[in-house]
Amino acid sequence: MKIVIMGCGRVGILLAKILDSEGHKVAVIDRDSLAFDDLCEDFQGHMITGNGIDADVQREAGTADADAFVTATRDDNTNIMAAQVAKEIFGVPRVVARIYDSEREHIFHELGLKTICPVTVGAFQIRNAILADTLRRTPLETTNNLELIEAALPEDLDGKKVRDIQSPGEVRVVALEREGLSMIPNGDTSLKSGDTITIVISRDVMPRLQALLGIKA
Amino acid sequence: MYVILVGGGKVGYYLTRTLLAEGFEVTLIEKERAVFEKLFQEFKDSVVLGDGTDIRLLHNSGAGRADLLVSITGHDQDNLVACQLAKRKFGVGHTIARVNNPKNENILRRLGVDTTLSSTRIIFNLIEQEVAAQVSRLQETEAGSRGING
């Protein structure tokens, strides 16, 4: 694949190295040519110095026939604009914008941009690292407010049916693991204490689920 | 009529002053504290300190009922995002962006900004007109002198 990466900070540099070592054709853009110093000497790709929101700079980097375009500068709005130039002006099929501000990320996600918010991802990963014994929360990447929850079923819910803990449009049990066996349950499936259940949930009703599963802060 | 202005530089300053004098309701959003404090002395509650591309700030500034958002910062990317948020998130009827790099004029319009304004482009067009006028004057003079000699 031909991939253009704009912004050679830590993420941009590492991404460029990974993709280059996998044999992809990589071009990197940064306003500061010193940023390229951190690319190893055996980097095969192109290095373009310039402002990546500028369509001419994008063209020089080969954006017109790129398969993917990634924006990873430290400035959210620069990333948002450059991503839209790549997507709408050059028609790049896969464009990913890194956006730190999670609210801004939500909106531009809604507007059709593929976005990654490292703040949200990082916060949930750290949360899971310190609270993994209660339940694991993972934001669903393709949505704004849905999460995947993995939790052990508490004793007091033993014998309940899946439908007893579901609620339409808010909570759905999508997988169940019992004694090493996985299954996709339906509403009639009986639950057993110790089952690991995977639930898709709307973030707004999280406190209700925590109460149901008997998880205290 | 309620107008939100993003960017309190020279253009933002004079625009705020003019609009307030004309009786418009105005909120000017400025990011830099030092600049904000100077503006505040004159405009009081009509100026707000913060990032005009911040959703919460736009919300608190009443973007939901604004008729017009004009973004005039020195960064095209900030002007684009302010206009896009105004239009698509808050349903502002009309958005105007100052374009610093004239090459971005078409791009910003294609990305949904209603009106773009590039002072570089305007001055360049005036220079072109001036050059064209001089060339035609020169051609007239040449034609005239040929007429005399010939």
Side-chain angles (χ1 to χ4, degrees), chain A residues 58-189:
Chain A
Q58 289 202 10
R59 192 174 289 112
E60 198 189 328
T63 307
D65 59 353
D67 301 294
F69 192 100
V70 180
T71 63
T73 78
R74 70 181 72 177
D75 181 65
D76 279 355
N77 292 347
T78 298
N79 292 342
I80 289 167
M81 177 163 174
Q84 291 183 84
V85 170
K87 186 172 182 239
E88 307 296 338
I89 309 295
F90 290 106
V92 178
R94 292 185 199 178
V95 177
V96 177
R98 178 178 68 179
I99 305 176
Y100 282 107
D101 176 13
S102 57
E103 283 190 65
R104 203 169 313 197
E105 191 238 358
H106 281 178
I107 288 171
F108 282 94
H109 178 100
E110 277 172 14
L111 298 180
L113 220 52
K114 169 81 182 148
T115 54
I116 288 180
C117 179
V119 173
T120 308
V121 174
F124 275 96
Q125 279 180 351
I126 293 169
R127 183 231 165 258
N128 289 340
I130 55 179
L131 296 172
D133 52 336
T134 58
L135 52 78
R136 286 182 61 83
R137 297 175 63 178
T138 312
L140 269 181
E141 212 188 292
T142 49
T143 69
N144 270 347
N145 66 336
L146 298 185
E147 289 183 16
L148 216 56
I149 308 287
E150 295 160 77
L153 196 86
E155 272 176 32
D156 60 317
L157 292 180
D158 189 87
K160 293 262 188 202
K161 303 262 193 214
V162 161
R163 76 161 59 85
D164 297 331
I165 63 170
Q166 292 193 144
S167 81
E170 292 174 334
V171 181
R172 168 162 293 185
V173 181
V174 292
L176 198 150
E177 190 156 320
R178 181 177 300 159
E179 291 153 10
L181 290 172
S182 307
M183 63 174 115
I184 299 172
N186 58 38
D188 286 329
T189 309

Side-chain angles (χ1 to χ4, degrees), chain B residues 1 36-37 39 52 90 104 123 130 147:
Chain B
M1 179 121 171
F36 161 81
E37 271 159 11
L39 294 165
F90 296 102
N104 285 337
I123 295 168
E130 182 56 28

Side-chain angles (χ1 to χ4, degrees), chain A residues 38 40 92:
Chain A
D38 289 335
C40 36
V92 178

Side-chain angles (χ1 to χ4, degrees), chain A residues 31 51 53-56 75-78 80-81 84-85 88-89 101 103-105 107-108 110-111, chain B residues 31 51 53-56 76-78 80-82 84-85 88-89 101 103-104 106-108 110-111:
Chain A
R31 289 166 71 153
N51 186 347
I53 63 170
D54 189 323
D56 290 346
D75 181 65
D76 279 355
N77 292 347
T78 298
I80 289 167
M81 177 163 174
Q84 291 183 84
V85 170
E88 307 296 338
I89 309 295
D101 176 13
E103 283 190 65
R104 203 169 313 197
E105 191 238 358
I107 288 171
F108 282 94
E110 277 172 14
L111 298 180
Chain B
K31 214 179 198 171
D51 175 0
T53 65
D54 185 280
I55 291 128
R56 206 160 294 173
D76 291 348
Q77 65 272 33
D78 296 342
L80 171 71
V81 170
Q84 288 185 320
L85 290 175
R88 306 202 206 164
K89 175 74 184 170
N101 177 353
K103 283 186 290 190
N104 285 337
N106 285 332
I107 291 173
L108 261 63
R110 275 184 67 175
L111 297 180

Side-chain angles (χ1 to χ4, degrees), chain B:
Chain B
M1 179 121 171
Y2 178 37
V3 184
I4 295 180
L5 302 174
V6 179
K10 277 207 176 65
V11 180
Y13 169 76
Y14 286 111
L15 205 49
T16 304
R17 210 162 77 162
T18 310
L19 288 170
L20 286 174
E22 296 278 338
F24 286 88
E25 185 190 356
V26 179
T27 295
L28 170 64
I29 302 173
E30 168 56 41
K31 214 179 198 171
E32 300 287 331
R33 182 172 285 278
V35 180
F36 161 81
E37 271 159 11
K38 275 187 192 160
L39 294 165
F40 184 77
Q41 284 175 10
E42 182 167 346
F43 300 131
K44 302 292 177 211
D45 291 344
S46 293
V47 55
V48 169
L49 174 66
D51 175 0
T53 65
D54 185 280
I55 291 128
R56 206 160 294 173
L57 186 93
L58 282 170
H59 175 80
N60 292 341
S61 304
R65 61 179 185 87
D67 303 288
L68 187 66
L69 181 135
V70 187
S71 191
I72 40 196
T73 77
H75 300 285
D76 291 348
Q77 65 272 33
D78 296 342
N79 294 338
L80 171 71
V81 170
C83 288
Q84 288 185 320
L85 290 175
K87 203 151 186 74
R88 306 202 206 164
K89 175 74 184 170
F90 296 102
V92 175
H94 197 95
T95 54
I96 301 175
R98 168 186 175 189
V99 179
N100 298 278
N101 177 353
K103 283 186 290 190
N104 285 337
E105 248 193 310
N106 285 332
I107 291 173
L108 261 63
R109 274 206 295 271
R110 275 184 67 175
L111 297 180
V113 177
D114 297 306
T115 306
T116 56
L117 205 115
S118 157
S119 45
T120 311
R121 174 83 65 204
I122 292 166
I123 295 168
F124 178 71
N125 288 348
L126 291 173
I127 293 171
E128 272 195 328
Q129 282 171 26
E130 182 56 28
V131 170
Q134 282 191 14
V135 167
S136 73
R137 272 202 295 277
L138 205 67
Q139 283 167 344
E140 275 170 31
T141 316
E142 276 179 5
S145 58
R146 268 203 303 277
I148 293 165
N149 294 333

